[in-house]
Amino acid sequence: MKFDEIQEILNRQLLKLENRSLNDTEQLLLRGLWQKKNYQEIAQENGYSSGYLANVVAPGLYDRVSQLIGEPINKKNFLSRLQSHFTNSTSLQYCGQEYLQNERPEYPDAPVPYNSYYYLKRTKLEAKIIEEIGQSGALVRIKAPKKWGKTSLLLTILEACQQQFGYQIISLDLQKADQDIIANFNKFLRWICRNCARQLNLEAKLDDYWDEDIGIKMSWTIYFEEYILREIKQPLVLALDEVHRVFEHPKVAEDFLPLIRACYEESKRSPLWQKLRLIIVQSTESYVSLRLEQSPFNVGLPIELQGFGQEQVAELAKKYQLNELATNEIQQLIDLVGGHPALIHLAIYHLSQEQITMPDLIKSATTSTGIYSSHLQLHWVTLQKQPELAGIFQKICQGNQPMIVDPIIAYKLNSMGLIKLREKQAIVSCQLYQKSFISQKTGSEKIYF
């Protein structure tokens, strides 16, 4: 068997057994061992220390594979026992078509877990972010429209930071914060501090550091300086997901965003603050008018997620056993939804369940009975609340050529994923939005915009 086949089957079995597949470092080590290289050679080729691979990654890999095949494994017998396992007919039968048929994919209505068989890795992008987080005082800001894979990417990065670097991780999802907490700057900062302490298994001790006489921002800063950052031994990654929720409260945003920026800038001169790495994740649909010099989003490493291309869609189709999906059908799907990851995934899922054919999917895409009706409805509701945006977007959809649009309007429409910008000119981002907008009400069709 080829190495790629071995790796894919091993990932499936581990995912079934432990609910997690091989991480990047384990796969890197597996490939090197398969090529009969020693730890030092693998480490030099991939920028790791040989001690880390030999003493941290390898024992974990051997233990996981040992649990899987039911035999003790070490470096000497690793390859022979792995090959024996995969030449066993029972093992192959379990991992092949029969395995996939028994493992029914879930309906793709939530972030795809990083350890899911159906997660599509963004290898180069992930490596870029991980390299940045490895730097002292790093700040990475990930932004894209809703359902473009931000949370799945974040989970992948956090797992890698923990596995590769041994960093401590704090992940806060602002969707879990009550509305009245985010609306109150003091409550919001205390919520962050208390959850940071909880995830680090520390006592909160908020009242020991909180002093309204010196201000909320200074209390928050002192809490991190004199408590959190002094208590931890390893660098700390603080990930804030769904940060756009803060934008719903402009006064809070105008205090919070500069505070995040100040922490980043403090790391340039303070060894203590260099322990902290920040990851900010936001959906771009939300928009807030903040002074540019106050915003933290013009510092650090900016990451804007791109849509899926031919290779990625083909890979996802293969995972769903749609090997017969033709190249021209893949391109039709990309053209229809502009490579939108969640919309691609939804289509592939429905096609794999044999609930619809590609021609019917495309034909019904813009109707109220199509698989994208809920997605289109959300955009329709947003545009109904902002008639000026709706009017401009209609003109863009009806035009055959890119058009110049007011910068603020263009920013909002682009943030929603409805248009693409070429220099200062706007074009509709995909056929789905264009056809939905200009369609006429006939029969069962519905005008969404």
Side-chain angles (χ1 to χ4, degrees), residues 146-181:
K146 291 178 181 178
K147 296 185 176 296
W148 274 64
K150 300 182 298 299
T151 298
S152 296
L153 175 62
L154 175 63
L155 295 174
T156 303
I157 297 303
L158 295 181
E159 173 71 9
C161 288
Q162 200 166 34
Q163 295 290 333
Q164 294 186 24
F165 302 128
Y167 289 171
Q168 292 182 271
I169 304 296
I170 296 175
S171 181
L172 300 181
D173 183 351
L174 300 196
Q175 286 191 113
K176 297 179 180 178
D178 295 343
Q179 192 68 244
D180 67 315
I181 289 177

Side-chain angles (χ1 to χ4, degrees), residues 188-226:
F188 182 47
L189 291 192
R190 288 175 69 91
W191 181 86
I192 292 176
C193 291
R194 186 174 293 277
N195 277 283
C196 285
R198 180 179 60 82
Q199 292 193 27
L200 293 172
N201 295 316
L202 298 172
E203 291 184 51
K205 295 185 178 181
L206 277 169
D207 293 333
D208 293 350
Y209 298 90
W210 223 258
D211 185 349
E212 293 187 7
D213 290 338
I214 63 173
I216 300 170
K217 290 183 183 179
M218 280 303 301
S219 295
W220 191 87
T221 302
I222 290 171
Y223 185 83
F224 268 82
E225 278 186 353
E226 298 185 3

Side-chain angles (χ1 to χ4, degrees), residues 308-321:
F308 287 165
Q310 276 267 356
E311 186 176 334
Q312 291 167 304
V313 178
E315 181 184 351
L316 186 62
K318 182 179 178 182
K319 289 178 180 291
Y320 278 89
Q321 298 298 296

Side-chain angles (χ1 to χ4, degrees), residues 39-51:
Y39 295 137
Q40 187 170 358
E41 290 173 326
I42 300 171
Q44 288 177 345
E45 290 177 1
N46 296 280
Y48 288 91
S49 71
S50 57

Side-chain angles (χ1 to χ4, degrees), residues 10 14 17-18 20 22 26 29 56-75 77-78:
L10 184 58
L14 288 171
L17 180 68
E18 305 175 346
R20 67 186 183 101
L22 296 171
E26 288 172 329
L29 179 61
V56 179
V57 183
L61 176 63
Y62 299 152
D63 180 65
R64 295 184 68 190
V65 177
S66 176
Q67 293 293 326
L68 179 66
I69 70 176
E71 296 183 72
I73 281 183
N74 54 44
K75 187 176 186 300
N77 65 20
F78 178 69

